[in-house]
């Protein structure tokens, strides 16, 4: 970054001479230092998975969740600063409630995502605030079918068949591209998602981690819920076996 040290990175409302906003790039760095989160949009639903790094042995398993429910049929997974993720999830729930009250129907994933993206982008405009240091994957099943979107710290919002954010995103994207996502069921996607998370974690080998997964689709009657413990254990077992074969 040629402009570092010249004052162009002190405010989110200041452009550098080459048209960059360094505060937004720093927010993206916060995401890159976080555990990996992925989303798979398959033929009958969506699966979300997060590599939740365990920073202390004293933490209670299942605490500090990175996957949250936005609406009955929509979930979100975050990579980056945990507190920023809670802020975005509360905003997303508020937007969902607003749409439900105004239009008297369930909000679509796209509608909530676009509103949250506008909210995130507003935090890149003023010197009194800072950009959110998270990338968020929104997934759900609505009247248009399964949907998957990603909101970046800059406010960019894009739809995906398979998405990955966080430290191991490049390897995860490579693995996602190998899958025929439109032909997979959610149960098969759970197995694949666990395999990918274990693979990207093995590539980093930094700390212990906890696999957090949720799904929404035909298997869950259209509700966003955590993956059942028995299926999660099976997926983790197969992921470990695949990792040993890979090595």
């Amino acid at each position: 970054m040629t402009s570092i040290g010249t004052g162009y990175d002190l405010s989110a409302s200041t452009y550098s001479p080459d048209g960059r906003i360094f505060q937004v790039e720093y927010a993206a760095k916060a995401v890159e230092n976080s555990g990996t989160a992925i989303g798979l949009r398959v033929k009958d639903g969506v699966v979300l998975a997060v590599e939740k790094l365990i920073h202390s042995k004293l933490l209670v398993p299942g605490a500090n969740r990175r996957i949250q429910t936005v609406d009955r049929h929509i979930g979100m997974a975050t990579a980056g600063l945990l507190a920023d993720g809670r802020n975005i999830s509360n905003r997303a729930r508020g937007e969902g409630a607003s749409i439900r009250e105004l239009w008297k129907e369930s909000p679509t994933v796209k509608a909530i995502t676009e509103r949250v993206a506008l909210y995130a982008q507003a935090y890149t405009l003023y010197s009194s605030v800072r950009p959110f240091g998270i990338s968020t994957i929104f997934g759900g099943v609505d009247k248009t079918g399964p949907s998957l979107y990603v909101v970046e710290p800059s406010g960019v919002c894009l739809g995906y068949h398979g998405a990955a954010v966080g430290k191991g995103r490049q390897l995860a994207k490579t693995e996602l591209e190998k899958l025929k996502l439109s032909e997979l069921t959610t149960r098969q996607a759970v197995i694949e998602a666990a395999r990918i998370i274990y693979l990207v974690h093995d590539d980093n080998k930094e700390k212990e981690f906890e696999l957090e997964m949720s799904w929404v689709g035909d298997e869950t009657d259209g509700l966003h819920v955590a993956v059942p413990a028995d299926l999660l254990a099976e997926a983790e077992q197969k992921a470990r076996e695949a990792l040993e074969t890979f090595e």
Side-chain angles (χ1 to χ4, degrees):
M1 292 185 183
T2 55
S3 303
I4 279 190
T6 56
Y8 295 108
D9 61 347
L10 299 178
S11 166
S13 61
T14 304
Y15 285 92
S16 72
D18 50 351
R20 294 157 68 183
I21 300 178
F22 289 121
Q23 286 280 320
V24 172
E25 294 185 20
Y26 296 161
K29 282 289 183 186
V31 175
E32 289 177 18
N33 291 331
S34 170
T36 309
I38 63 173
L40 290 77
R41 173 185 162 188
V42 294
K43 65 180 181 181
D44 63 337
V46 172
V47 172
L48 300 175
V50 174
E51 170 203 16
K52 191 168 69 178
L53 299 174
I54 299 174
H55 300 287
S56 169
K57 292 182 179 178
L58 300 177
L59 286 172
V60 177
N64 306 313
R65 295 183 62 81
R66 284 191 174 272
I67 295 180
Q68 301 187 55
T69 297
V70 174
D71 203 290
R72 287 191 291 261
H73 59 297
I74 302 172
M76 59 172 271
T78 60
L81 304 179
L82 192 61
D84 286 13
R86 284 197 291 268
N87 185 309
I88 289 291
S89 68
N90 284 335
R91 179 71 183 201
R93 290 186 191 112
E95 295 292 359
S98 172
I99 292 169
R100 195 180 288 276
E101 182 178 352
L102 181 64
W103 300 106
K104 303 296 186 280
E105 65 177 14
S106 298
T108 63
V109 181
K110 183 179 181 181
I112 287 182
T113 304
E114 287 182 343
R115 288 194 179 195
V116 170
L118 286 171
Y119 177 67
Q121 195 262 340
Y123 275 69
T124 69
L125 302 177
Y126 309 105
S127 58
S128 57
V129 295
R130 64 162 177 78
F132 289 103
I134 60 163
S135 286
T136 311
I137 302 174
F138 287 94
V141 178
D142 52 38
K143 61 185 179 183
T144 64
S147 298
L148 189 72
Y149 288 84
V150 175
V151 176
E152 303 289 355
S154 62
V156 170
C157 163
L158 296 171
Y160 290 89
H161 288 290
V165 294
K167 185 172 288 186
R169 72 188 186 288
Q170 290 298 345
L171 179 57
K173 282 180 181 177
T174 301
E175 290 299 316
L176 285 169
E177 287 169 0
K178 295 176 183 177
L179 301 175
K180 294 182 178 178
L181 293 170
S182 60
E183 298 176 8
L184 293 179
T185 64
T186 44
R187 280 189 174 271
Q188 292 169 328
V190 166
I191 303 297
E192 293 294 344
R195 180 185 63 81
I196 292 171
I197 290 293
Y198 268 81
L199 183 62
V200 297
H201 179 77
D202 188 64
D203 197 50
N204 293 321
K205 282 184 177 174
E206 286 190 358
K207 297 178 178 176
E208 290 296 313
F209 82 102
E210 185 180 340
L211 177 61
E212 193 176 330
M213 296 185 75
S214 68
W215 59 349
V216 53
D218 294 348
E219 291 272 357
T220 66
D221 293 326
L223 300 177
H224 175 255
V225 295
V227 171
D230 56 342
L231 181 57
L232 181 61
E234 178 190 344
E236 289 195 80
Q237 180 60 36
K238 288 185 177 179
R240 293 189 194 97
E241 290 171 1
L243 200 60
E244 290 171 6
T245 306
F246 180 77
E247 291 173 348

